[in-house]
Amino acid sequence: KFESKLENSKMQGQLRLLNFACAAKARTRSVTLTRPSREESLEFQLNGGYQKGCGIFVDSINKESSAAKKGLKRGDQILDVNGQNFVQGMTLDRALSFL
């Protein structure tokens, strides 16, 4: 509810800070996602990246998607995809190319 009010008020900076604070308190967990082909769309949107001075974060997720059912949540930081480190120097475009 609070996050939607931030979005509706166009308070993106505050929303990013909220996501960072949640990520700082979060514990590392593994979520394994698969899709039949790269042509199939992702069930979530990402934000952040090296050019914004932060990591790669889940910005939004389709609530009924398999990714949501497996535990992926808005605000999650993506740390690793198939052995590729997403923490240091990863741009958003490069991150999307791995997914």
Side-chain angles (χ1 to χ4, degrees), residues 10-68:
K10 305 284 187 224
M11 299 177 79
Q12 295 301 318
Q14 289 81 354
L15 185 57
R16 276 195 300 275
L17 287 174
L18 176 62
N19 287 338
F20 294 145
C22 291
K25 291 184 177 186
R27 61 180 167 69
T28 302
R29 58 193 166 78
S30 179
V31 177
T32 303
L33 304 175
T34 58
R35 57 185 174 157
S37 72
R38 292 184 62 83
E39 287 74 38
E40 186 176 313
S41 66
L42 294 173
E43 300 171 316
F44 52 91
Q45 300 292 317
L46 299 177
N47 195 357
Y50 179 76
Q51 66 276 26
K52 291 187 177 182
C54 62
I56 303 294
F57 290 87
V58 176
D59 190 46
S60 64
I61 185 164
N62 299 342
K63 292 181 182 183
E64 299 300 319
S65 68
S66 62

